[in-house]
Amino acid sequence: MKRRNLLNYAAIATTSAAALAACSKTAPNTSSPIASPSQPIIQWRMATGWNKSLNVVFGAIDRFCQRVGHATNGRFTITPYEAGEIASALEILDVVSAKTVECGFTAGYHYVNKNFAFGLSTAVPFGLNAQQQNAWLYYGGGLEALQKVYAQYGVIQFPAGNTGAQMGGWFTRKVNSVADLEGLKMRIPGLGGELMKRLGVDVQAMQGTEIFKALESGKIQAAEWVGPYEDEKLGLDRVAPYYYYPGWWEPGTMYEIQVNQAAWDRLPKEYQAIFQSAAVEANLTMQAQYNAVNGEALERLALKGTKLLPFSEEILRSAQKAAFELYEETASKDATFKAIYEHWKTFRTQVYSWNRINELSFASFAFIQEK
């Protein structure tokens, strides 16, 4: 897929032309690619890694499915299923690859044990934030590079949501230094977990629904989830008083729709265009909703007594050093990862330099000013 054409499909009837234009090199076509009655009736199932109670992330994919249905006059329908109904949160890629279902909604970093490059599709420690990830995927060649990797598993993937920068998690005791992390039992998955291991943490694997009881019972002393809104819904503020930031392991967590390649190839071109446009909309609106609700939730948590604490510079510097040591080690052993990583690293350097001038200079002044 050529990135200059990625968003030429962007104007389905129910999608905001203004929002999509912000991501497109050319103004979107205002005519709607509504499917004609001659198009086939197609019904797909979608396995997801989340439950309906997580209304932002599950709500985004539910709206995506509705968009596709509306834009095709009900001729192409996709039904999303909660985690566990078809597959667990960590099995989505497997069931899509095997065509147990036609598509799934998940995060690529759940599958780094299959291919380390999948982490770059979602978020890696000290990597790209949400805006930078969009830039790399849509206009920096990242999506084409990653789709070549996914093709090895019979899958094509599309960005479809972002949490923005996440929080650093809940702790039952303060951690002021790397020494304080030694032996700490913490629920943290993925690459963040791998790096925490290198810093001495006893990393525990568990589903999100298990975190509250594990903290309450003392089975673990720390856990990360998403951000204020989702964390408050799990009640984590009731079992751990210290809420650390930033979530350096997930500076902009990108979720994706994975589609079985053979199923995708059989779709009419109009359906493919509608599908891609709806995915772009989901990608944009999920982060917008998270920014809105997280601000409100953080204020509530602070009023209830949650203590917001930054990770120390010692911890951040040690984690950053460990992160890039891991990437370089992996690149030296894995040619596929090395090719994408070198491309990603060059883009990261360039966009960091630009955002240091435009974004950071503004934020460093404006965000700390009191009214």
Side-chain angles (χ1 to χ4, degrees), residues 116-162:
F116 204 81
F118 289 154
L120 294 173
S121 188
T122 305
V124 296
F126 300 99
L128 305 177
N129 67 20
Q131 288 178 294
Q132 294 164 346
Q133 183 80 347
N134 279 336
W136 180 58
L137 290 174
Y138 288 140
Y139 289 103
L143 188 58
E144 292 102 323
L146 285 166
Q147 285 182 341
K148 290 178 182 177
V149 179
Y150 278 84
Q152 299 172 21
Y153 299 82
V155 169
I156 184 171
Q157 99 288 4
F158 303 96
N162 202 303

Coordinates of all heavy atoms in Angstrom, one line a residue, residues 116-162:
F116 N 10.1 -9.7 17.3 CA 10.3 -8.5 18.1 C 9.9 -7.2 17.4 O 9.5 -6.2 18.1 CB 11.8 -8.4 18.4 CG 12.2 -7.6 19.6 CD1 12.1 -8.2 20.9 CD2 12.6 -6.3 19.5 CE1 12.3 -7.5 22.0 CE2 12.9 -5.6 20.7 CZ 12.8 -6.2 21.9
A117 N 9.8 -7.2 16.1 CA 9.4 -6.0 15.3 C 8.0 -5.6 15.6 O 7.6 -4.5 15.5 CB 9.6 -6.2 13.8
F118 N 7.1 -6.6 16.1 CA 5.7 -6.2 16.4 C 5.6 -5.2 17.5 O 4.7 -4.4 17.6 CB 5.0 -7.5 16.9 CG 4.7 -8.5 15.7 CD1 4.5 -9.8 16.0 CD2 4.6 -8.1 14.4 CE1 4.3 -10.7 15.0 CE2 4.4 -9.0 13.4 CZ 4.2 -10.3 13.7
G119 N 6.7 -5.1 18.4 CA 6.7 -4.1 19.4 C 6.6 -2.7 18.8 O 6.0 -1.8 19.3
L120 N 7.3 -2.5 17.7 CA 7.3 -1.1 17.0 C 6.0 -0.7 16.5 O 5.7 0.4 16.2 CB 8.4 -1.1 15.9 CG 9.8 -1.3 16.4 CD1 10.8 -1.4 15.2 CD2 10.3 -0.1 17.3
S121 N 5.1 -1.7 16.3 CA 3.8 -1.4 15.8 C 2.9 -0.8 16.9 O 1.9 -0.1 16.5 CB 3.1 -2.7 15.3 OG 1.9 -2.4 14.6
T122 N 3.2 -1.0 18.1 CA 2.4 -0.5 19.2 C 3.1 0.6 20.0 O 2.7 1.8 19.9 CB 2.1 -1.7 20.2 OG1 1.5 -2.7 19.5 CG2 1.2 -1.2 21.3
A123 N 4.1 0.3 20.7 CA 4.9 1.2 21.5 C 6.1 0.5 22.0 O 6.0 -0.7 22.4 CB 4.1 1.9 22.6
V124 N 7.2 1.2 22.1 CA 8.4 0.6 22.8 C 8.9 1.6 23.8 O 8.7 2.9 23.6 CB 9.5 0.3 21.8 CG1 9.1 -0.8 20.8 CG2 10.0 1.5 21.0
P125 N 9.6 1.2 24.8 CA 10.1 2.1 25.8 C 11.0 3.2 25.2 O 11.8 2.9 24.4 CB 10.9 1.2 26.8 CG 10.2 -0.1 26.6 CD 9.8 -0.2 25.2
F126 N 10.7 4.4 25.6 CA 11.4 5.6 25.1 C 11.4 5.7 23.6 O 12.3 6.2 23.0 CB 12.9 5.6 25.6 CG 13.0 5.6 27.1 CD1 13.2 4.4 27.8 CD2 12.8 6.7 27.8 CE1 13.2 4.3 29.2 CE2 12.9 6.7 29.2 CZ 13.1 5.5 29.9
G127 N 10.2 5.4 23.0 CA 10.0 5.4 21.6 C 9.2 6.7 21.2 O 9.5 7.8 21.7
L128 N 8.2 6.4 20.4 CA 7.4 7.5 19.8 C 6.1 7.8 20.5 O 5.5 6.8 21.0 CB 7.1 7.2 18.3 CG 8.3 6.9 17.4 CD1 7.8 6.5 16.0 CD2 9.3 8.1 17.4
N129 N 5.8 9.0 20.7 CA 4.5 9.3 21.2 C 3.4 9.1 20.1 O 3.7 8.8 19.0 CB 4.4 10.7 21.9 CG 4.5 11.9 20.9 OD1 4.3 11.7 19.7 ND2 4.9 13.0 21.3
A130 N 2.1 9.4 20.5 CA 1.0 9.1 19.5 C 1.2 9.8 18.2 O 1.0 9.3 17.1 CB -0.3 9.4 20.2
Q131 N 1.4 11.2 18.3 CA 1.6 11.9 17.1 C 2.8 11.5 16.2 O 2.7 11.4 15.0 CB 1.7 13.4 17.4 CG 0.5 14.1 17.9 CD 0.8 15.6 18.3 OE1 1.5 15.9 19.2 NE2 0.2 16.4 17.5
Q132 N 3.9 11.2 16.9 CA 5.0 10.7 16.2 C 4.8 9.3 15.6 O 5.3 9.1 14.5 CB 6.2 10.7 17.2 CG 6.6 12.1 17.7 CD 7.5 12.0 18.9 OE1 7.7 11.0 19.5 NE2 8.2 13.2 19.2
Q133 N 4.1 8.5 16.3 CA 3.8 7.2 15.8 C 3.0 7.2 14.5 O 3.2 6.6 13.5 CB 3.1 6.3 16.8 CG 2.8 4.9 16.4 CD 4.0 3.9 16.5 OE1 5.2 4.4 16.7 NE2 3.8 2.6 16.4
N134 N 2.0 8.1 14.5 CA 1.1 8.3 13.4 C 2.0 8.8 12.2 O 1.8 8.4 11.0 CB 0.0 9.4 13.6 CG -1.2 8.7 14.4 OD1 -1.4 7.6 14.3 ND2 -1.9 9.6 15.1
A135 N 2.9 9.8 12.5 CA 3.7 10.3 11.4 C 4.6 9.2 10.8 O 4.8 9.1 9.6 CB 4.6 11.4 12.0
W136 N 5.2 8.4 11.7 CA 6.0 7.3 11.2 C 5.3 6.3 10.4 O 5.7 5.9 9.3 CB 6.8 6.6 12.3 CG 7.7 5.5 11.9 CD1 8.7 5.6 11.0 CD2 7.6 4.1 12.3 NE1 9.3 4.4 10.9 CE2 8.7 3.4 11.6 CE3 6.8 3.4 13.1 CZ2 8.9 2.1 11.8 CZ3 7.0 2.0 13.3 CH2 8.0 1.4 12.6
L137 N 4.1 5.9 10.9 CA 3.3 4.8 10.2 C 2.7 5.4 8.9 O 2.9 4.7 7.8 CB 2.2 4.3 11.1 CG 2.7 3.5 12.3 CD1 1.5 3.2 13.2 CD2 3.3 2.2 11.9
Y138 N 2.1 6.5 8.9 CA 1.3 7.0 7.8 C 2.2 7.6 6.7 O 2.0 7.5 5.5 CB 0.3 8.0 8.2 CG -0.9 7.4 8.9 CD1 -1.5 8.1 10.0 CD2 -1.5 6.2 8.5 CE1 -2.6 7.5 10.7 CE2 -2.6 5.7 9.2 CZ -3.1 6.3 10.3 OH -4.2 5.8 10.9
Y139 N 3.3 8.3 7.1 CA 4.1 9.1 6.2 C 5.6 8.9 6.3 O 6.3 9.4 5.5 CB 3.8 10.6 6.4 CG 2.4 11.0 5.9 CD1 1.4 11.2 6.8 CD2 2.1 11.1 4.5 CE1 0.1 11.6 6.4 CE2 0.9 11.4 4.1 CZ -0.1 11.7 5.0 OH -1.4 12.0 4.6
G140 N 6.0 8.0 7.2 CA 7.4 7.8 7.3 C 7.8 6.4 6.8 O 9.0 6.0 7.0
G141 N 6.9 5.7 6.2 CA 7.2 4.3 5.7 C 7.1 3.2 6.7 O 7.3 2.0 6.4
G142 N 6.7 3.5 7.9 CA 6.6 2.5 9.0 C 5.5 1.5 8.7 O 5.8 0.3 9.0
L143 N 4.4 1.9 8.2 CA 3.3 0.9 8.0 C 3.6 -0.1 6.9 O 3.4 -1.3 7.1 CB 2.0 1.7 7.6 CG 0.7 0.8 7.6 CD1 0.5 0.1 8.9 CD2 -0.5 1.7 7.2
E144 N 4.2 0.4 5.8 CA 4.6 -0.5 4.8 C 5.6 -1.5 5.3 O 5.6 -2.7 5.0 CB 5.2 0.2 3.6 CG 4.2 1.1 2.8 CD 4.4 2.5 3.2 OE1 4.6 2.8 4.4 OE2 4.2 3.4 2.3
A145 N 6.6 -1.1 6.1 CA 7.6 -1.9 6.6 C 7.1 -3.0 7.5 O 7.4 -4.2 7.4 CB 8.7 -1.1 7.3
L146 N 6.2 -2.6 8.4 CA 5.6 -3.5 9.3 C 4.6 -4.5 8.6 O 4.6 -5.7 9.0 CB 4.8 -2.8 10.4 CG 5.7 -2.1 11.5 CD1 4.9 -1.1 12.3 CD2 6.4 -3.1 12.4
Q147 N 3.9 -4.0 7.6 CA 3.0 -4.9 6.9 C 3.7 -6.0 6.2 O 3.2 -7.1 6.1 CB 2.1 -4.1 6.0 CG 1.0 -3.3 6.7 CD 0.1 -2.6 5.8 OE1 0.4 -2.3 4.6 NE2 -1.1 -2.2 6.3
K148 N 5.0 -5.8 5.8 CA 5.7 -6.9 5.3 C 6.0 -8.0 6.3 O 6.1 -9.2 5.9 CB 7.0 -6.3 4.7 CG 6.8 -5.4 3.4 CD 8.2 -4.9 2.9 CE 8.0 -4.0 1.7 NZ 9.2 -3.3 1.3
V149 N 6.2 -7.5 7.5 CA 6.5 -8.5 8.6 C 5.2 -9.3 8.9 O 5.2 -10.5 9.0 CB 7.0 -7.8 9.9 CG1 7.3 -8.9 11.0 CG2 8.3 -7.1 9.6
Y150 N 4.1 -8.6 9.0 CA 2.8 -9.2 9.3 C 2.4 -10.2 8.2 O 1.8 -11.2 8.5 CB 1.7 -8.2 9.5 CG 1.7 -7.6 10.9 CD1 2.5 -6.5 11.3 CD2 0.8 -8.1 11.9 CE1 2.5 -6.0 12.5 CE2 0.8 -7.6 13.2 CZ 1.6 -6.5 13.5 OH 1.6 -6.0 14.7
A151 N 2.8 -9.9 7.0 CA 2.5 -10.7 5.8 C 3.1 -12.1 6.0 O 2.5 -13.1 5.5 CB 3.0 -10.1 4.5
Q152 N 4.1 -12.3 6.8 CA 4.7 -13.6 7.0 C 3.8 -14.5 7.8 O 4.0 -15.7 7.8 CB 6.1 -13.4 7.7 CG 7.1 -12.6 6.9 CD 8.3 -12.3 7.8 OE1 8.6 -13.0 8.8 NE2 9.1 -11.3 7.4
Y153 N 2.8 -13.8 8.5 CA 1.9 -14.6 9.3 C 0.5 -14.6 8.7 O -0.5 -15.0 9.3 CB 1.8 -13.9 10.7 CG 3.1 -14.0 11.4 CD1 4.1 -13.0 11.2 CD2 3.4 -15.0 12.3 CE1 5.3 -13.0 11.8 CE2 4.7 -15.0 13.0 CZ 5.6 -14.0 12.7 OH 6.9 -14.0 13.3
G154 N 0.4 -14.2 7.4 CA -0.8 -14.2 6.7 C -1.8 -13.1 7.2 O -3.0 -13.3 7.1
V155 N -1.3 -12.0 7.7 CA -2.1 -11.0 8.3 C -1.7 -9.6 7.7 O -0.5 -9.4 7.4 CB -1.9 -11.0 9.8 CG1 -2.5 -9.7 10.5 CG2 -2.5 -12.2 10.4
I156 N -2.6 -8.7 7.6 CA -2.4 -7.3 7.3 C -3.0 -6.5 8.4 O -4.1 -6.8 8.9 CB -2.9 -6.9 5.9 CG1 -2.6 -5.4 5.6 CG2 -4.4 -7.1 5.8 CD1 -2.9 -5.0 4.2
Q157 N -2.3 -5.4 8.9 CA -2.8 -4.7 10.1 C -2.9 -3.2 9.8 O -2.2 -2.7 8.9 CB -1.9 -4.9 11.3 CG -0.8 -3.9 11.6 CD 0.3 -3.8 10.6 OE1 0.3 -4.5 9.6 NE2 1.3 -2.9 10.8
F158 N -3.8 -2.6 10.5 CA -4.1 -1.1 10.3 C -4.2 -0.5 11.7 O -4.9 -1.0 12.6 CB -5.4 -0.9 9.6 CG -5.5 -1.6 8.2 CD1 -6.1 -2.9 8.1 CD2 -4.9 -1.0 7.1 CE1 -6.1 -3.5 6.9 CE2 -5.0 -1.7 5.9 CZ -5.6 -2.9 5.8
P159 N -3.5 0.7 11.9 CA -3.7 1.4 13.1 C -5.1 1.8 13.4 O -5.8 2.2 12.5 CB -2.8 2.7 12.9 CG -1.9 2.3 11.8 CD -2.6 1.4 10.9
A160 N -5.6 1.6 14.6 CA -7.0 1.9 14.9 C -7.2 2.4 16.3 O -8.3 2.2 16.9 CB -7.8 0.6 14.7
G161 N -6.3 3.1 16.9 CA -6.5 3.7 18.2 C -5.2 3.9 19.0 O -4.2 3.3 18.7
N162 N -5.2 4.9 19.9 CA -4.1 5.1 20.7 C -4.5 5.7 22.0 O -5.4 6.5 22.1 CB -3.2 6.2 20.0 CG -1.7 6.1 20.4 OD1 -1.4 6.3 21.6 ND2 -0.8 5.9 19.5

